[in-house]
């Protein structure tokens, strides 16, 4: 199969022929239909986060099941599925207490003594985030995908697999936004727009979008923002505090910078919660004023929207088909696998929300 391979950090992905194995007892072979080009992939390409190389990248995807292992009970051949990088075992303490996205059990991966899922002539190929979806096929654990209704377009379903689940889940699950509360979202890329959409679905009374690109004004409001702040023209923290007369109930940092994480905390009202969704590079720290904690302000991380994806993703599909979840507006362009490097270059400009690789294009 054709796949986009990262062989060395800070170099373009290479389109190569990669061999994929047969499903083990709890594994599923999927024909990839679409894969979103996510900023998380860029972090690994640029070396901000380490990963064994070479590796087939990609983790935001949807497709059709081709083959299942002997013990698989959750999906069957022909099912349309969304994948999720937070594969879960189903019986560790995290899973049994409802925190599926925090499962770290090695059971969802192959043992070192097993044949690898991916290979190339002369060596192994590392699987990325349990998925490796920049490829024509994926071989994954059955608890890394969920079946969805077949009338859902798979190019839009792919977005739910990471960016949308991360943003919407951060608002609804991690921070529990309630009707009438105030929200600020820093960074209006794919995840930030999803957080805005999630806050709107949750009934937030005021949603303030913040970005350094003036072009994000209209699109953020299409996703549910009530206000927009251009952070290049004003002090975003001061502006939020003035607009809300004391700060917001919830803030969401969707960029991955120490500075913006600090801003997210500093724009809170007493008792507010700052949620860091963005991937702050390894080794970076944030600095907060200790006295602020006397006002019961909180700062926390959010991993994949604190999802219970077998339940959440089919519900998000229903929300999209009911006109509540915005996905069409998030896709900036549809591309072929061979165009993946140009998609990452466009991503760096901040001009696109999401490029989606469509494998039948």
């Amino acid at each position: 199969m054709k796949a986009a391979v990262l062989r060395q950090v800070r170099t373009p992905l290479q389109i190569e022929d990669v061999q994929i194995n047969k499903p083990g007892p709890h594994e599923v072979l999927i024909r990839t239909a679409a894969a979103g080009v996510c900023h998380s992939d860029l972090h690994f390409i640029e070396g901000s986060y380490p990963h064994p190389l070479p590796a087939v990248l990609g983790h935001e995807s949807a497709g059709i099941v081709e083959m299942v292992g002997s013990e698989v009970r959750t999906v069957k051949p022909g099912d349309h599925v969304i994948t999720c990088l937070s594969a879960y075992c189903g019986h560790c303490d995290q899973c049994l207490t409802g925190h599926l996205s925090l499962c770290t059990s090695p059971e969802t991966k192959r043992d070192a003594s097993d044949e690898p899922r991916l290979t190339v002539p002369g060596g192994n190929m590392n699987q990325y985030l349990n998925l490796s979806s920049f490829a024509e096929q994926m071989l994954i654990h059955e608890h890394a995908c969920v079946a969805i209704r077949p009338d859902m377009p798979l190019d839009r379903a792919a977005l739910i697999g990471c960016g949308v689940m991360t943003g919407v889940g951060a608002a609804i699950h991690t921070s529990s936004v309630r009707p009438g509360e105030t929200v600020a979202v820093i960074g209006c890329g794919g995840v930030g727009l999803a957080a805005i959409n999630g806050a709107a679905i949750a009934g937030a009374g005021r949603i303030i979008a913040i970005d350094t690109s003036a072009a994000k004004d209209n699109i953020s409001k299409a996703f549910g923002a009530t206000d927009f702040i251009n952070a290049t023209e004003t002090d975003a923290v001061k502006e939020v505090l003035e607009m809300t007369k004391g700060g917001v109930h919830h803030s969401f940092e969707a960029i991955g910078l120490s500075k913006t994480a600090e801003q997210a905390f500093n724009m809170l009202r007493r008792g507010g919660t700052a949620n860091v969704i963005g991937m702050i590079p390894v080794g970076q720290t944030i600095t907060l004023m200790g006295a602020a904690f006397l006002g019961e302000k909180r700062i926390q991380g959010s991993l994949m929207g604190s999802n219970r994806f077998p339940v959440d993703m089919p519900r998000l599909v229903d929300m999209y088909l009911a006109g509540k979840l915005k996905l069409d507006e998030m896709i900036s362009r549809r591309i072929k696998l061979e165009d993946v490097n140009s998609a990452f270059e466009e991503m760096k400009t901040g001009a696109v929300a999401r490029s989606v690789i469509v494998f039948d294009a």
Side-chain angles (χ1 to χ4, degrees):
M1 66 174 184
K2 297 292 184 182
V5 177
L6 178 65
R7 289 198 166 271
Q8 185 176 346
V9 296
R10 293 181 289 277
T11 62
L13 303 187
Q14 302 178 30
I15 307 302
E16 300 184 18
D17 287 314
V18 175
Q19 298 298 315
I20 192 164
N21 216 314
K22 299 291 184 182
H26 288 282
E27 292 179 335
V28 180
L29 181 67
I30 297 168
R31 173 68 56 178
T32 313
V37 181
C38 179
H39 205 279
S40 299
D41 296 300
L42 185 60
H43 284 300
F44 287 92
I45 292 173
E46 294 183 335
S48 300
Y49 279 75
H51 193 280
L53 299 178
V56 177
L57 294 194
H59 66 280
E60 184 180 80
S61 48
I64 300 174
V65 176
E66 290 192 322
M67 187 184 302
V68 301
S70 59
E71 300 297 320
V72 172
R73 300 293 181 267
T74 55
V75 295
K76 63 185 184 302
D79 280 350
H80 291 206
V81 295
I82 299 174
T83 63
C84 187
L85 65 91
S86 55
Y88 65 95
C89 70
H91 51 259
C92 68
D93 61 343
Q94 297 286 10
C95 290
L96 292 176
T97 54
H99 302 100
L100 275 65
S101 64
L102 300 182
C103 176
T104 57
S105 171
E107 294 178 23
T108 60
K109 302 175 177 63
R110 288 193 173 184
D111 292 333
S113 58
D114 296 332
E115 290 185 0
R117 288 173 177 166
L118 303 175
T119 57
V120 289
N124 293 341
M125 178 63 62
N126 291 288
Q127 189 173 40
Y128 170 73
L129 300 182
N130 302 311
L131 298 174
S132 288
S133 59
F134 288 169
E136 294 173 326
Q137 292 175 299
M138 294 174 281
L139 180 59
I140 64 177
H141 191 275
E142 64 173 315
H143 290 163
C145 66
V146 58
I148 58 170
R149 49 195 284 188
D151 55 336
M152 177 66 181
L154 290 175
D155 58 341
R156 275 140 284 185
L159 303 182
I160 295 174
C162 179
V164 172
M165 185 72 259
T166 296
V168 173
I172 294 176
H173 293 321
T174 313
S175 209
S176 300
V177 175
R178 297 176 180 175
E181 291 183 328
T182 51
V183 169
V185 178
I186 304 174
C188 297
V191 172
L193 291 173
I196 291 169
N197 198 178
I201 291 170
R206 192 169 193 180
I207 304 171
I208 304 167
I210 303 165
D211 203 278
T212 55
S213 171
K216 296 297 177 69
D217 187 344
N218 290 334
I219 190 170
S220 65
K221 289 177 179 174
F223 276 74
T226 56
D227 304 90
F228 179 81
I229 294 174
N230 186 335
T232 63
E233 298 177 348
T234 186
D235 182 328
V237 173
K238 182 180 179 182
E239 192 78 9
V240 169
L241 295 176
E242 290 177 354
M243 292 170 66
T244 58
K245 295 181 173 58
V248 294
H249 292 89
H250 310 267
S251 62
F252 299 89
E253 194 281 345
I255 300 174
L257 298 173
S258 297
K259 177 183 177 181
T260 45
E262 293 165 3
Q263 290 175 335
F265 183 79
N266 293 332
M267 62 180 59
L268 294 174
R269 60 180 282 160
R270 289 169 68 88
T273 302
N275 300 270
V276 179
I277 312 174
M279 295 173 64
I280 298 175
V282 174
Q284 288 192 14
T285 60
I286 62 174
T287 302
L288 305 173
M289 296 297 292
F293 291 102
L294 295 176
E296 296 191 4
K297 297 180 182 181
R298 296 177 296 277
I299 186 166
Q300 61 186 8
S302 178
L303 176 62
M304 284 294 295
S306 305
N307 73 75
R308 305 84 38 92
F309 82 84
V311 173
D312 293 334
M313 290 185 178
R315 289 179 179 176
L316 289 174
V317 167
D318 289 340
M319 287 183 191
Y320 166 75
L321 293 174
K324 298 176 183 178
L325 185 69
K326 308 293 185 182
L327 298 179
D328 297 340
E329 300 87 343
M330 192 175 288
I331 299 178
S332 302
R333 67 175 186 141
R334 293 168 176 82
I335 62 174
K336 296 181 179 181
L337 181 63
E338 292 77 9
D339 300 320
V340 64
N341 290 308
S342 65
F344 282 115
E345 290 304 313
E346 284 190 333
M347 180 186 293
K348 294 176 186 179
T349 70
V352 298
R354 265 299 189 273
S355 295
V356 177
I357 299 168
V358 179
F359 283 86
D360 60 0

